[in-house]
Amino acid sequence: MAASSESRALRVLQISDTHLHAAADSRMRGVTTYATFLRVLEHVQRDRRWPPDLVMATGDIVQDESRAGYERFRMSLEPFGIPVASIPGNHDDPNLMAEILSGGSFQFCGEQRHGPWSLIFLSTFLSGEDAGGLGNARLGGLRKALAAHVGQHVLVAMHHHPLPMGSAWLDGVALRDAAAFWEVIDANKHVRAVVCGHVHQAAERQRNEMLFLSTPSTCAQFLPGSEFFALDDRPPGARWLELHADGRIDTEVAWARGSRG
Ligand SMILES: [Fe+2]
């Protein structure tokens, strides 16, 4: 029997840590971040999974908290006509982001339901901090959202990593109240995946019945396992997720090789 459109996997493209600036030619950690972002977009358009049903941007969209940076991000994605959901990272200005990356096909934080899947876009932003946190209000909101999506398969997207990456400097700026976060997640067996950015590297781990994923940046990557700050020579990247109706997830990192900017 041919697969009905209802049973087709939901295709999600995760992009993270674009670190755009007000000026299109600004460089950070050796790369022109706008150029590498565009190259990642070019790369994923050649993929069999293109176009995705949804782009989710997991924070550090802009490096310099500039209006022009967010406008450039929006203008880069808007022509595709694909819904874009975003959450703030430590470098973002959540107020500017909420203003510029909302409306039309853009959504800032919140939730989305797509057939049997629900996606929760969770802010871990703490003003003036590189580390992330939830606190009682956001934990309560997460509990409520998970209760509202019982019977669905749930993916939770956030900026900061809630599991140690084995890299001392990065784990010092992780999600502070990770234990409280996992207490909520573990009480909700319908959570299939927790996906983050922030760490500028790819990871894929099983935690109980759930998948934990981190995704490379569209600019420079961090060296996995390094005690101190160090860059990796891996190219810019993004992540494909195919969320199947039965709760299975196929995922792959798309490395835009040959594209250091
Ligand atoms: Fe970050």
Side-chain angles (χ1 to χ4, degrees):
M1 198 175 82
S4 69
S5 59
E6 281 78 24
S7 67
R8 184 175 78 70
L10 179 73
R11 288 193 298 255
V12 179
L13 177 69
Q14 183 192 4
I15 53 176
S16 205
D17 299 82
T18 43
H19 291 275
L20 301 183
H21 300 75
D25 59 353
S26 286
R27 292 173 71 83
M28 191 186 80
R29 301 182 185 122
V31 301
T32 307
T33 56
Y34 179 49
T36 56
F37 173 46
L38 292 184
R39 287 181 200 180
V40 168
L41 289 180
E42 272 169 35
H43 181 78
V44 294
Q45 283 175 75
R46 294 195 294 270
D47 193 282
R48 64 168 175 86
R49 288 158 285 203
W50 183 269
D53 300 299
L54 170 73
V55 171
M56 69 183 181
T58 45
D60 286 358
I61 311 291
V62 165
Q63 173 69 13
D64 58 0
E65 301 180 12
S66 65
R67 178 172 288 273
Y70 290 111
E71 285 168 347
R72 186 171 305 101
F73 180 81
R74 182 166 182 139
M75 284 186 311
S76 305
L77 291 170
E78 207 156 33
F80 298 121
I82 298 165
V84 178
S86 62
I87 46 178
N90 44 303
H91 289 283
D92 285 305
D93 177 333
N95 294 325
L96 258 188
M97 222 177 134
E99 179 196 330
I100 300 166
L101 303 184
S102 296
S105 55
F106 284 71
Q107 178 177 335
F108 176 72
C109 294
E111 299 152 38
Q112 283 183 8
R113 193 183 277 243
H114 299 263
W117 277 89
S118 292
L119 287 74
I120 298 175
F121 307 108
L122 183 64
S123 175
T124 53
F125 176 86
L126 295 177
S127 184
E129 305 271 359
D130 282 331
L134 291 166
N136 287 336
R138 287 175 184 160
L139 283 166
L142 175 62
R143 251 186 233 110
K144 230 185 209 168
L146 289 169
H149 295 281
V150 165
Q152 294 282 102
H153 305 300
V154 174
L155 177 147
V156 177
M158 60 210 291
H159 180 69
H160 293 85
H161 50 303
L163 285 178
M165 299 302 294
S167 186
W169 75 275
L170 257 180
D171 291 338
V173 290
L175 181 72
R176 281 199 188 133
D177 41 4
F181 170 75
W182 288 116
E183 206 175 292
V184 174
I185 296 299
D186 289 343
N188 286 276
K189 302 295 179 206
H190 54 313
V191 178
R192 305 278 172 255
V194 171
V195 179
C196 73
H198 189 51
V199 298
H200 293 228
Q201 61 192 275
E204 186 174 334
R205 290 184 221 160
Q206 201 69 34
R207 186 185 180 278
N208 302 329
E209 298 302 300
M210 195 217 69
L211 194 59
F212 165 70
L213 301 169
S214 75
T215 294
S217 163
T218 61
C219 57
Q221 315 304 347
F222 299 149
L223 187 66
S226 178
E227 188 179 354
F228 303 104
F229 173 85
L231 291 178
D232 199 359
D233 60 4
R234 288 199 167 234
R239 179 182 286 284
W240 286 103
L241 296 123
E242 290 174 284
L243 309 180
H244 297 280
D246 61 1
R248 275 181 311 113
I249 298 172
D250 286 323
T251 185
E252 187 184 16
V253 170
W255 298 101
R257 296 192 193 285
S259 65
R260 293 222 4 131

